[in-house]
Amino acid sequence: MRHIIFASFLVSAFISQSQTFEEYISSFPDREMQMHNYNVFQVYDRGVARYYPGGYETMLPTVYGPNNYSDVVNTLEYVAPDNIFVTSFNIPTTAKIKRFNGVEWLDFEPALPSGAMKVTDILFRSEQEIYVAAQNRYTNINFVYKYDGTQWQDLNLLPFGHYEPQLFYISPTEIYATTAGQSAVYDGQQWTMVEQFGITTGKIFVDVVDADHKYITGRPQLMNFATGTIEPVGNILLQGESQNDVTVTHVQAIAADDIYIAAKIYVGFSNATFVSHWDGAVW
């Protein structure tokens, strides 16, 4: 059965019965919005806003003051109330990383290498393991950097198109980078292209259950790419629907027989979002 929902309700409708809302949001790979203790945090151009049951407020102090019109906050990694990362860009300069220590926002040092003009994703695993995906806005060349506690290391991302990359962390030897129509995996030493399948709109999401069940969105079907070939997981299309009608946009795989997806369906000149569940046999 499909559950048609408005996009604004996607997150709350997507949660599984086995998770709390906080656990789900914390694991969901979206760096612009994250939830902790039933508060949703989202970046805006000056800093971070906190949404809570009954209202919302901007976090004080803001990252940038009202007289700064050039630096725009664009990504978020909320680790704890006294450990929050944001990034901002101010073309043509190098992107900045700011860190909140519970009292004030400070520049994260060392700065990113020159050429990283806009950070498109940031992942904090530990003080010795921080990853960023970045792009040079003039050349459209993408980068992935790792901070090892001392310095930034260029992980030498493969030529990866000109769309902004996103990161999905499974382990230090399994990190995925995705962009419109492409995905690659880093094994701790080098990148390997997972697939290239043409242009899609929006982010491509990856989720992994185990070595035999690795899922990727961006197509009319949810695809499993673990076996070396790209195989659909069942058939999400209803009778009368074509490959052009549906695009799978999000995935959360709890187990091989317990998968939630969200997808867009195009009907005439309008579209809607629906959520489906895979039980191992049918959607």
Side-chain angles (χ1 to χ4, degrees), residues 140-162:
N140 288 327
I141 294 176
N142 294 318
F143 307 92
V144 176
Y145 297 103
K146 176 185 177 181
Y147 178 70
D148 62 6
T150 302
Q151 61 186 354
W152 290 102
Q153 174 189 359
D154 188 345
L155 298 187
N156 297 313
L157 180 64
L158 294 166
F160 212 58
H162 60 275

Side-chain angles (χ1 to χ4, degrees), residues 40 103 167 177 230 243:
V40 175
V103 178
L167 297 176
I230 309 299
Q243 298 282 324

Side-chain angles (χ1 to χ4, degrees), residues 12-175:
S12 59
F14 214 72
I15 186 172
S16 74
Q17 294 298 318
S18 62
Q19 291 181 299
T20 66
F21 193 41
E22 179 184 359
E23 289 170 341
Y24 175 68
I25 293 295
S26 297
S27 65
F28 197 71
D30 188 347
R31 304 302 161 218
E32 288 75 40
M33 177 183 288
Q34 298 178 1
M35 183 171 180
H36 292 262
N37 296 325
Y38 299 94
N39 294 281
V40 175
F41 297 89
Q42 186 172 28
V43 297
Y44 69 104
D45 59 349
R46 301 292 87 202
V48 180
R50 180 175 72 95
Y51 298 81
Y52 55 90
Y56 72 94
E57 64 184 4
T58 58
M59 286 184 58
L60 296 176
T62 58
V63 179
Y64 294 111
N67 296 324
N68 184 322
Y69 299 102
S70 55
D71 293 288
V72 177
V73 178
N74 68 309
T75 63
L76 166 72
E77 180 75 330
Y78 188 110
V79 182
D82 58 355
N83 192 14
I84 305 172
F85 292 83
V86 298
T87 68
S88 63
F89 65 96
N90 176 8
I91 295 173
T93 62
T94 298
K96 298 176 183 177
I97 299 178
K98 296 277 192 176
R99 187 177 194 175
F100 185 64
N101 60 11
V103 178
E104 60 183 336
W105 292 96
L106 301 173
D107 289 331
F108 185 83
E109 299 291 347
L112 286 168
S114 61
M117 294 167 59
K118 182 179 181 181
V119 170
T120 59
D121 209 352
I122 178 169
L123 300 177
F124 175 91
R125 308 306 303 178
S126 71
E127 296 294 337
Q128 291 76 43
E129 193 179 6
I130 303 173
Y131 301 89
V132 300
Q135 185 179 72
N136 184 302
R137 304 294 283 179
Y138 286 150
T139 63
N140 288 327
I141 294 176
N142 294 318
F143 307 92
V144 176
Y145 297 103
K146 176 185 177 181
Y147 178 70
D148 62 6
T150 302
Q151 61 186 354
W152 290 102
Q153 174 189 359
D154 188 345
L155 298 187
N156 297 313
L157 180 64
L158 294 166
F160 212 58
H162 60 275
Y163 290 88
E164 297 180 353
Q166 304 293 318
L167 297 176
F168 299 92
Y169 181 97
I170 308 302
S171 73
T173 58
E174 189 173 3
I175 302 170

Side-chain angles (χ1 to χ4, degrees), residues 219 222-225 227 229-233:
R219 288 184 172 185
L222 180 67
M223 309 301 288
N224 183 357
F225 63 90
T227 61
T229 59
I230 309 299
E231 301 176 345
V233 179

